[in-house]
Amino acid sequence: MDDDKAKDNWFGDWAAEYDETIGKVERHHNLLDLVVESSYVKDNDNILDIGCGTGLLALKFLQKSNCHITGVDSSQEMLDVFEGKINNFGLNGKIVYKHEDLENMEFGEKQFDIISSTFTLHHIKDKYTMIKKIYKMLKIGGRLIIGEIDLDTTGDIRDPKRLMRIMEYLKIEFSLALEEGGVNAFSRMYDNGKKHILNDGEYCVSFTQWEKICQKANFNTINIKAVPDFEWFKVLVANK
Ligand SMILES: C[S@@+](CC[C@H](N)C(=O)[O-])C[C@H]1O[C@@H](n2cnc3c(N)ncnc32)[C@H](O)[C@@H]1O
């Protein structure tokens, strides 16, 4: 099985239980809320949500304003869950989605007021190329908003110091997942942890690194905020 296929199955298998596991974790919602709050979204804004998954972030944007959302995700199973919500809440005129890998994503230049991405860009290896592509798709004055784990997993996977650095985060992640999301959430995060350690489809960088990548891609002001009571999760807003 090639890398892409394995990745599709990983998210495909997760889709049915995503909202019942990660979707029950409080700090995940706190990060999504901070993304929406930091976006200054307003009525009629055109938003692109990269790695939209089951639509948790899209629904929060729509609770805040009468905006339009385009979601992109490579997992049909995640999108099926999202579609169920779009139909249930009668949001067909407000949300469209594309089943596509981000590496192949093509939109016209200067189309979006806001481009958001939560817990997805760390799956992309070549971050600079992706951020440059996002920059082009944003209108002048538009914002890129990244919600991610502030974790540097770069380096040699045989380096024990790197392992200890990642374990600092994982020990907290595991215990909170168990406490807030139960055994299923813990089990999912435990499997995920190994992927972080082995850089197996998970390539986290720190927010200092994200900031440098955004500066290199020409973004103007860049602000970074931590999720209240959870410094490992941060939100970056970069203005074009
Ligand atoms: C951890 S989930 C986050 C979902 C959602 N943004 C949230 O915060 O709940 C990551 C999502 O990114 C999608 N994804 C991962 N790699 C992708 C890629 N290369 N292209 C498109 N989507 C991708 C997965 O299918 C999954 O839905």
Side-chain angles (χ1 to χ4, degrees):
M1 188 182 286
D2 63 25
D3 273 1
D4 283 349
K5 193 81 188 133
K7 188 172 62 192
D8 276 354
N9 287 345
W10 169 254
F11 288 112
D13 292 347
W14 196 0
E17 59 175 35
Y18 189 82
D19 288 355
E20 292 305 313
T21 53
I22 295 304
K24 295 273 185 244
V25 171
E26 195 183 330
R27 67 193 178 287
H28 189 93
H29 282 279
N30 291 345
L31 179 129
L32 303 183
D33 290 337
L34 185 59
V35 165
V36 174
E37 182 192 310
S38 309
S39 71
Y40 295 104
V41 63
K42 55 183 187 327
D43 288 353
N44 298 317
D45 272 354
N46 208 8
I47 301 179
L48 176 66
D49 186 26
I50 285 180
C52 55
T54 63
L56 294 176
L57 181 64
L59 296 185
K60 285 180 189 279
F61 270 124
L62 279 166
Q63 276 165 6
K64 184 88 178 174
S65 85
N66 190 17
C67 53
H68 302 273
I69 299 175
T70 303
V72 180
D73 204 288
S74 56
S75 162
Q76 186 57 54
E77 292 87 346
M78 288 276 187
L79 292 172
D80 288 345
V81 177
F82 192 13
E83 186 172 76
K85 294 179 190 177
I86 296 171
N87 292 335
N88 277 348
F89 296 121
L91 294 171
N92 287 291
K94 291 273 138 205
I95 303 176
V96 291
Y97 63 76
K98 265 188 158 182
H99 178 213
E100 198 165 49
D101 195 290
L102 297 179
E103 319 255 1
N104 306 324
M105 169 180 71
E106 292 291 343
F107 289 98
E109 291 194 14
K110 299 181 187 159
Q111 272 208 22
F112 297 100
D113 300 284
I114 294 170
I115 300 184
S116 59
S117 187
T118 53
F119 301 111
T120 297
L121 287 176
H122 71 259
H123 297 296
I124 302 298
K125 250 188 189 167
D126 184 355
K127 294 177 171 46
Y128 176 60
T129 301
M130 183 58 59
I131 297 295
K132 264 199 331 194
K133 191 177 191 177
I134 288 172
Y135 183 87
K136 279 193 190 154
M137 299 186 309
L138 274 172
K139 293 179 186 172
I140 307 286
R143 280 92 68 209
L144 162 65
I145 312 187
I146 301 174
E148 271 293 350
I149 313 163
D150 188 7
L151 175 68
D152 177 7
T153 68
T154 59
D156 187 339
I157 61 171
R158 291 160 303 185
D159 176 5
K161 282 194 187 130
R162 171 186 171 275
L163 176 63
M164 293 310 285
R165 188 171 76 226
I166 300 171
M167 291 304 288
E168 280 298 299
Y169 163 69
L170 288 180
K171 69 183 182 194
I172 295 167
E173 179 61 85
F174 291 164
S175 57
L176 285 173
L178 185 63
E179 195 181 311
E180 293 173 6
V183 172
N184 285 348
F186 163 73
S187 174
R188 182 48 77 161
M189 292 323 296
Y190 188 80
D191 288 348
N192 222 24
K194 190 172 162 199
K195 292 163 84 63
H196 282 297
I197 291 166
L198 299 178
N199 280 152
D200 174 16
E202 311 266 359
Y203 318 98
C204 284
V205 296
S206 71
F207 271 67
T208 308
Q209 291 160 311
W210 275 122
E211 186 174 17
K212 285 191 182 133
I213 295 166
C214 290
Q215 281 166 343
K216 194 173 160 199
N218 251 346
F219 278 97
N220 287 319
T221 47
I222 296 168
N223 286 301
I224 296 170
K225 292 180 201 166
V227 166
D229 301 325
F230 200 67
E231 285 280 321
W232 292 98
F233 283 4
K234 293 205 172 76
V235 169
L236 175 149
V237 181
N239 294 276
K240 177 168 175 180

